[in-house]
């Protein structure tokens, strides 16, 4: 089916090895605007490695990642962020000594213009100090544009905290190390959403959550989907995958072995074999390489 706008994400021939282990082996797929796509697979199948390659945390051995048809520089998280990709991590990452509000504010950094007047120099090693001095100058003596940008940023932070209602909004000025595990995960999601990304990568956002917390995250992700947010989800809680996904990709040994609707994929004999074979051998769906 032809589309008038390019896919939000296109991945072609993605490969990455660790020593003698090929964790990702020729992965290719695309995600259309507003589509909610999930990646599932047995333990060690390459799910998180794929997300790390897309977000620039890892550099691929081969292949390309394109956002809206434009190739992004491999192995450069700042390039992925500038292209409109935001993410959460399998093992939640927040700044413990910073408040919830400050953590979410960090997510806005790729969107700042007035506060980072020479941001284009930040990626030039011999000139990045000029960019840092310019940012310091604006911080010490904000321009009218920088003050207006800060007010707009504060409103965006409040909107993300309100998304999680009583879970985060009343705790906006609490240090995140004082929060429950689930609220630290919510803070990480709010931080990723603050930049209003074109593509949101969620790496097991419900990991470690109980049934009630998982159901709550599911409702919030469903609301994001209804708003048209494009999402790539890595998850092993199959209820979430089934209820949220437009399409599911199944990885095994670094390759896509099946894709389709949740019902189609979960009935695929190759998927059943990949999961049941590993379960009988003592494996489980969960953490990934």
């Amino acid at each position: 089916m032809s589309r008038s706008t390019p896919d939000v994400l296109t991945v072609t021939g993605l490969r990455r090895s660790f020593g003698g282990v090929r964790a990702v082996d020729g992965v290719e797929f695309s995600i259309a605007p507003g589509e909610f796509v999930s990646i599932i697979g047995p333990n060690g199948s390459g799910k998180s490695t794929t997300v790390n390659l897309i977000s620039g945390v890892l550099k691929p051995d081969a292949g390309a990642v394109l956002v809206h048809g434009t190739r992004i520089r491999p192995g450069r998280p700042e390039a992925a962020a500038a292209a409109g990709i935001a993410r959460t991590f399998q093992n939640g990452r927040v700044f413990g000594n910073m408040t919830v509000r400050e953590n979410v504010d960090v997510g806005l950094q790729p969107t700042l213009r007035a506060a980072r007047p020479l941001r284009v120099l930040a990626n030039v090693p011999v000139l990045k100090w000029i960019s840092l001095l310019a940012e310091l100058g604006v911080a010490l003596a904000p321009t009218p544009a920088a003050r207006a940008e800060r007010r707009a940023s504060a409103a965006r932070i409040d909107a993300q905290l309100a998304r999680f209602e009583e879970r985060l909004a009343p705790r906006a000025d609490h240090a995140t190390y004082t929060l429950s595990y689930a609220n630290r995960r919510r803070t990480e999601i709010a931080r990723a959403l603050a930049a209003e990304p074109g593509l949101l990568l969620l790496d097991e956002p419900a990991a470690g959550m109980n049934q009630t917390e998982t159901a709550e995250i599911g409702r919030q992700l469903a609301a994001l989907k209804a708003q048209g947010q494009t999402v790539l989800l890595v998850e092993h809680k199959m209820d979430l995958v089934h209820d949220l996904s437009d399409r599911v990709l199944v990885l095994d040994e670094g390759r896509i072995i099946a894709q389709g609707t949740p019902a189609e994929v979960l009935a695929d004999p190759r998927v059943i074999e990949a999961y049941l074979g590993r379960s009988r051998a003592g494996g489980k769906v969960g953490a990934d390489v």
Side-chain angles (χ1 to χ4, degrees), residues 164-179:
F164 295 92
E165 299 173 335
E166 74 278 4
R167 304 299 188 186
L168 291 185
R171 299 174 173 84
D173 297 318
H174 294 192
T176 53
Y177 77 85
T178 67
L179 302 184

Side-chain angles (χ1 to χ4, degrees), residues 79-90:
I85 295 176
R87 67 164 300 176
T88 65
F89 291 83
Q90 183 179 20

Side-chain angles (χ1 to χ4, degrees), residues 152-225:
S153 294
R156 291 168 72 176
I157 293 169
D158 288 340
Q160 293 308 324
L161 295 179
R163 182 187 301 278
F164 295 92
E165 299 173 335
E166 74 278 4
R167 304 299 188 186
L168 291 185
R171 299 174 173 84
D173 297 318
H174 294 192
T176 53
Y177 77 85
T178 67
L179 302 184
S180 67
Y181 173 81
N183 279 337
R184 291 197 298 272
R185 299 292 301 215
R186 295 181 181 108
T187 299
E188 190 180 19
I189 296 172
R191 184 176 64 201
L193 286 169
E196 299 177 357
L199 175 65
L200 178 64
L201 306 180
L202 298 173
D203 195 352
E204 299 196 24
M209 291 189 178
N210 61 34
Q211 187 173 1
T212 300
E213 292 163 344
T214 297
E216 185 175 316
I217 285 291
R219 291 191 296 271
Q220 287 155 346
L221 294 183
L224 279 176
K225 178 179 178 179

Side-chain angles (χ1 to χ4, degrees), residues 66-201:
L66 293 84
V67 177
H68 296 295
T70 299
R71 182 170 181 166
I72 62 175
R73 296 180 66 183
R76 299 291 294 270
E78 69 277 11
I85 295 176
R87 67 164 300 176
T88 65
F89 291 83
Q90 183 179 20
N91 299 311
R93 300 183 186 181
V94 293
F95 300 99
N97 289 325
M98 294 169 61
T99 67
V100 172
R101 182 180 298 278
E102 289 167 341
N103 267 269
V104 178
D105 192 18
V106 170
L108 288 169
Q109 295 307 302
T111 71
L112 298 180
R113 297 293 184 271
R116 303 178 63 191
L118 298 177
R119 55 182 291 166
V120 294
L121 300 180
N123 296 324
V124 182
V126 296
L127 298 177
K128 65 186 303 181
W129 63 272
I130 299 177
S131 173
L132 294 174
L133 285 176
E135 291 181 32
L136 177 61
V138 173
L140 294 175
T143 64
R147 289 193 292 270
E149 186 174 65
R150 175 45 54 191
R151 289 192 295 270
S153 294
R156 291 168 72 176
I157 293 169
D158 288 340
Q160 293 308 324
L161 295 179
R163 182 187 301 278
F164 295 92
E165 299 173 335
E166 74 278 4
R167 304 299 188 186
L168 291 185
R171 299 174 173 84
D173 297 318
H174 294 192
T176 53
Y177 77 85
T178 67
L179 302 184
S180 67
Y181 173 81
N183 279 337
R184 291 197 298 272
R185 299 292 301 215
R186 295 181 181 108
T187 299
E188 190 180 19
I189 296 172
R191 184 176 64 201
L193 286 169
E196 299 177 357
L199 175 65
L200 178 64
L201 306 180

Side-chain angles (χ1 to χ4, degrees), residues 42-89:
N43 180 44
S45 60
K47 303 184 297 295
S48 288
T49 300
T50 297
V51 170
N52 287 337
L53 292 169
I54 293 169
S55 62
V57 173
L58 293 175
K59 187 174 183 179
D61 299 327
V65 176
L66 293 84
V67 177
H68 296 295
T70 299
R71 182 170 181 166
I72 62 175
R73 296 180 66 183
R76 299 291 294 270
E78 69 277 11
I85 295 176
R87 67 164 300 176
T88 65
F89 291 83

Side-chain angles (χ1 to χ4, degrees), residues 15-25 49 53 59-62:
R15 288 183 170 83
R16 173 67 191 227
S17 296
F18 298 97
V21 177
R22 182 162 287 181
V24 174
D25 189 6
T49 300
L53 292 169
K59 187 174 183 179
D61 299 327

